[in-house]
Amino acid sequence: MTSLPDNSDSYSLLAPGPVNLHPEVLKTLALPMIHHRTPEFDAILKRVLKKMKDIFQTTEDVYMLTSTGSGGMEALLVNVLSPGDKVIAIVSGKFGERWAEMAKTFGAEVHVIDVPWGETVSVAAVSELLKKHPDTRAVLCQACETSTAVAHPIEDLGRVIAPYTETLFFVDGITALGAYPLPMDAWGIDGIVAGSQKAFMLPTGMSFISFSKKAAKFFDSAKSPRFYFDVRKEKKANAAGETFFSSNVALIRCLDVVLDLILAEGLDAHYARIHRRAEFTRKFAQELGFTLYAKSPSDSVTALKVPPAMDGQKIRLHLEEVHNITIMGGQDQAKGKIIRIGHMGYIQDAEMLRLIECLGQCLYHFDSGFITLEQVAMVVRDAQNYLEQNG
């Protein structure tokens, strides 16, 4: 096959979020603005709220907030917590750290389970800590810890936490929900948050949350300060066919389109397509000489350890400046040691193939003795065959 030119005009956004937008989303973003208090938008809102339950796989209400995912994480906490409540926070990366700090900010007594970066939490460790603190109000965990690409055992954790009638299981599904199975009701999840810029293929700017009935009983007794994120206001407004504050008309209108696309394809087929991208990336990146960072890798994002003596930050920058491909590097203790590649959004096979070729060229650029261009070409040919045989 013919190698792509180094300065290809084709831009690929292959980060863990934001992601490539679906062409139908781009068309919808270009439509004239409408007001959020009109029959036209009311009909859109009603459709979206109903369809979101199918994505969350819940019979409970799903609420839409004009905020990033971190706002949704905060909204889950403030609607059920009071100062002094005990919280168990599973910290396995940057976003676990963030959620633990949020809980501390609102006066919770936070017990941290530190998990080495790249590893998954021990369900037994969570069980033991719950036995020591049976009055825990909430257990916090990322479904996918975006900074490490680790997928935690959410279903197993749900089973352990469920018997504690006053303890809630809260899940950060920002880099997971809509990308792989995470059924809220079936897995005993009491609160979950998702983000618009991930599997929902939208720009950044909205978070989506839902609470179980078990969690909702704490809404009125929670003493954490809340105003914008008071879900009781949103619940009442949604029941009347509106949002409490001004609606994010542009993104909600796009969400209506995306939900139709996902549900028409079917969740299983949608998940399978993302899984195929993840498997492809893991397989051929390793053939180039990278190794997996996460011991239990997520299908939404892959973290790759760069070869010894190479700098992941330089590889990421070279990909962007020379090959017009955006991925992400590592954070904090993983900075320079890993690169992270997202599998959500509108990604075509040609982009996946081009990524493998350009990653190989980067390795050759930074250490020509590590891999030859002939070896890169062989991996790319194998990758092309894989895509054709596993379409």
Side-chain angles (χ1 to χ4, degrees):
M1 63 179 289
T2 303
S3 293
L4 293 164
D6 279 349
N7 292 299
S8 172
D9 291 331
S10 178
Y11 174 67
S12 288
L13 177 56
L14 300 176
V19 301
N20 284 337
L21 303 183
H22 193 283
E24 292 300 320
V25 169
L26 294 174
K27 290 180 186 177
T28 306
L29 285 171
L31 293 174
M33 181 53 60
I34 59 173
H35 198 277
H36 62 282
R37 304 289 190 226
T38 59
E40 181 182 358
F41 182 73
D42 289 349
I44 295 170
L45 180 64
K46 182 178 180 180
R47 290 197 302 268
V48 167
L49 290 174
K50 182 177 184 295
K51 288 182 286 191
M52 285 294 277
K53 292 185 178 185
D54 294 331
I55 305 297
F56 277 62
Q57 294 182 267
T58 183
T59 59
E60 303 303 320
D61 293 331
V62 176
Y63 305 101
M64 299 187 293
L65 309 173
T66 298
S67 76
T68 63
S70 295
M73 293 164 71
E74 180 170 318
L76 289 182
L77 298 181
V78 298
N79 281 285
V80 303
L81 289 184
S82 296
D85 281 349
K86 291 183 180 179
V87 168
I88 292 174
I90 296 165
V91 175
S92 61
K94 286 290 294 181
F95 296 95
E97 291 173 358
R98 179 177 298 180
W99 221 1
E101 286 302 313
M102 281 186 190
K104 290 176 185 176
T105 298
F106 289 102
E109 178 186 319
V110 179
H111 298 269
V112 172
I113 296 178
D114 278 312
V115 180
W117 283 38
E119 297 184 13
T120 55
V121 67
S122 162
V123 177
V126 176
S127 179
E128 286 303 309
L129 194 54
L130 272 174
K131 288 175 184 176
K132 292 180 183 177
H133 301 283
D135 55 342
T136 294
R137 173 65 67 242
V139 177
L140 313 180
C141 186
Q142 278 60 44
C144 167
E145 172 52 69
T146 317
S147 62
T148 67
V150 163
H152 286 296
I154 299 302
E155 184 177 12
D156 293 339
L157 289 170
R159 279 196 291 265
V160 166
I161 298 164
Y164 293 82
T165 58
E166 300 296 300
T167 301
L168 306 174
F169 182 28
F170 278 180
V171 174
D172 167 6
I174 295 170
T175 312
L177 202 147
Y180 58 85
L182 200 63
M184 179 178 166
D185 291 355
W187 287 5
I189 298 170
D190 297 303
I192 190 166
V193 53
S196 60
Q197 77 279 21
K198 306 281 187 167
F200 290 92
M201 296 184 280
L202 304 177
T204 304
M206 291 195 74
S207 60
F208 315 116
I209 60 172
S210 186
F211 297 88
S212 69
K213 286 184 175 64
K214 182 179 175 182
K217 72 180 184 180
F218 294 102
F219 288 172
D220 290 335
S221 61
K223 298 296 190 292
S224 289
R226 53 190 152 147
F227 185 85
Y228 185 77
F229 289 137
D230 190 337
V231 77
R232 294 170 298 183
K233 299 174 183 176
E234 194 65 22
K235 184 178 180 68
K236 185 177 179 180
N238 287 178
E242 299 178 336
T243 56
F244 186 77
F245 296 99
S246 297
S247 307
N248 194 327
V249 172
L251 294 195
I252 293 173
R253 190 160 52 179
C254 290
L255 181 58
D256 189 31
V257 171
V258 169
L259 294 176
D260 280 344
L261 291 168
I262 293 174
L263 294 174
E265 180 183 23
L267 278 178
D268 288 345
H270 175 71
Y271 295 150
R273 192 153 42 81
I274 295 173
H275 175 73
R276 174 177 172 266
R277 294 174 194 155
E279 284 287 281
F280 171 88
T281 304
R282 292 191 283 255
K283 175 177 173 57
F284 292 104
Q286 288 182 94
E287 288 193 15
L288 288 173
F290 294 93
T291 54
L292 296 180
Y293 183 63
K295 291 188 177 178
S296 176
S298 168
D299 275 351
S300 53
V301 53
T302 293
L304 300 169
K305 288 193 286 187
V306 301
M310 291 193 193
D311 185 339
Q313 294 299 105
K314 291 181 178 179
I315 290 174
R316 183 216 154 188
L317 187 62
H318 187 79
L319 268 180
E320 194 158 78
E321 291 182 341
V322 176
H323 300 288
N324 218 9
I325 298 172
T326 296
I327 61 171
M328 287 291 106
Q331 298 169 285
D332 286 1
Q333 62 184 269
K335 189 171 184 178
K337 299 176 182 177
I338 67 171
I339 56 174
R340 294 177 296 137
I341 299 164
H343 311 305
M344 301 167 290
Y346 187 73
I347 301 173
Q348 302 301 290
D349 282 2
E351 289 177 273
M352 295 160 60
L353 189 63
R354 182 167 170 264
L355 172 68
I356 295 301
E357 180 171 27
C358 293
L359 279 174
Q361 291 180 4
C362 280
L363 295 181
Y364 177 78
H365 172 79
F366 286 109
D367 184 356
S368 59
F370 181 82
I371 193 170
T372 67
L373 291 179
E374 290 77 12
Q375 289 172 318
V376 172
M378 287 177 62
V379 173
V380 172
R381 280 196 295 271
D382 288 346
Q384 188 170 34
N385 291 332
Y386 177 93
L387 290 173
E388 291 171 355
Q389 294 167 11
N390 296 275

